[in-house]
């Protein structure tokens, strides 16, 4: 049974950096695209980024492009999100999620982690 | 970017009621639509993909329809465990985009 566990959240000052991790188990991690999705307090879900199964293709939401970097280590079954130049509006619960498909086309989020909270505040 | 307009943003209903949520895309997305259920403090859950195909283990009281730009999500008989927020999400184009959500509350 697929399981995803996020870590690395916390309180960080504006303009600083933070790296989130997502440990995967219960499925062949190296075969699936992986996403980050966030939910700001009182708001809906917002897609952040996706990486292909092999890490060669990466795509970002408009609000994080140029500041966030998604990456993966298939030898460690781990997904990452490097967040730079953080802003108060990046405050959210960040979820990692497994894509439903195993190709360069992204079908959306089939399995989700429980999330990790990031608070950007001085 | 494709805009997803979901309505209503909230509704109040009783156990046993039929509930319908609509989702409209700003351009043709074929049937490339997912529906999710999200409860506070929990991980979101994929209920349906390709607009109308139930994910494994999802009760048959949930159904979906539509293609192109207009989609419908229905709960035929609302159960206590169904009170949650529901989101549509398109995957025809990147960036992936969600509707604003529909919070289903107890009347």
């Amino acid at each position: 049974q697929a399981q995803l566990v996020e870590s690395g959240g916390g309180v960080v000052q504006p303009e600083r950096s933070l790296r989130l991790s997502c440990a995967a188990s219960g499925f062949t991690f190296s075969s699936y695209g992986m996403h980050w999705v966030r939910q700001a307090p009182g708001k809906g879900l917002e897609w952040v980024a996706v990486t292909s199964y092999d890490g060669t293709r990466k795509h970002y939401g408009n609000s994080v492009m140029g500041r966030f970097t998604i990456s993966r280590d298939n030898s460690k079954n781990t997904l990452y999100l490097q967040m730079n130049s953080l802003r108060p509006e990046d405050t959210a619960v960040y979820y990692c999620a497994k894509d439903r498909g195993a190709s360069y086309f992204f079908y959306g989020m089939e399995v989700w982690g429980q999330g990790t909270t990031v608070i950007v505040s001085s | 970017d494709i805009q997803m307009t979901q309505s209503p943003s909230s509704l109040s209903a009783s156990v046993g009621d039929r509930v319908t949520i609509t989702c409209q895309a700003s351009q043709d997305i074929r049937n490339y639509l997912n529906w999710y259920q999200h409860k506070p403090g929990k991980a979101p859950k994929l209920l349906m993909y390709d607009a109308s195909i139930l994910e494994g283990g999802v009760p048959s009281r949930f159904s979906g329809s539509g293609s192109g730009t207009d989609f419908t999500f229905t709960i035929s008989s609302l159960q206590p465990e169904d009170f949650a927020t529901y989101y549509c999400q398109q995957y025809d184009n990147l960036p992936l985009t969600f509707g604003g959500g529909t919070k289903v509350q107890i009347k």
Side-chain angles (χ1 to χ4, degrees), chain A residues 84-112:
Chain A
N84 298 333
S85 302
L86 281 160
R87 305 167 179 168
E89 55 265 37
D90 295 318
T91 294
V93 176
Y94 284 75
Y95 298 97
C96 72
K98 168 187 174 288
D99 193 79
R100 190 165 57 80
S103 69
Y104 291 126
F105 184 86
F106 303 107
Y107 292 86
M109 289 62 73
E110 180 183 46
V111 178
W112 300 63

Side-chain angles (χ1 to χ4, degrees), chain B residues 46-65:
Chain B
L46 175 65
L47 297 180
M48 203 172 309
Y49 60 92
D50 291 351
S52 62
I53 301 176
L54 282 179
E55 181 74 345
V58 174
S60 59
R61 63 180 180 273
F62 295 98
S63 65
S65 64

Side-chain angles (χ1 to χ4, degrees), chain B residues 45-85:
Chain B
K45 178 183 178 182
L46 175 65
L47 297 180
M48 203 172 309
Y49 60 92
D50 291 351
S52 62
I53 301 176
L54 282 179
E55 181 74 345
V58 174
S60 59
R61 63 180 180 273
F62 295 98
S63 65
S65 64
S67 184
T69 60
D70 295 301
F71 301 86
T72 300
F73 173 84
T74 300
I75 309 173
S76 60
S77 177
L78 197 65
Q79 298 302 300
E81 60 268 30
D82 299 337
F83 292 97
T85 301

Side-chain angles (χ1 to χ4, degrees), chain A residues 3-8 19-25 27-30 32 34-36 51-55 70-81 96:
Chain A
Q3 187 172 8
L4 300 167
V5 179
E6 302 92 338
S7 61
R19 188 176 83 158
L20 305 183
S21 300
C22 171
S25 61
F27 66 101
T28 305
F29 179 74
S30 59
Y32 291 91
M34 294 293 296
H35 301 262
W36 287 100
T51 177
S52 59
Y53 65 96
D54 57 3
I70 189 171
S71 62
R72 65 191 298 159
D73 185 337
N74 286 345
S75 69
K76 295 182 178 179
N77 289 349
T78 302
L79 176 73
Y80 303 100
L81 185 68
C96 72

Side-chain angles (χ1 to χ4, degrees), chain A residues 39 62 100 105 107 109 112-113, chain B residues 1 34 36 38 43-44 49 91:
Chain A
Q39 184 177 36
N62 296 332
R100 190 165 57 80
F105 184 86
Y107 292 86
M109 289 62 73
W112 300 63
Chain B
D1 299 1
N34 294 325
Y36 300 91
H38 192 199
Y49 60 92
Y91 52 95

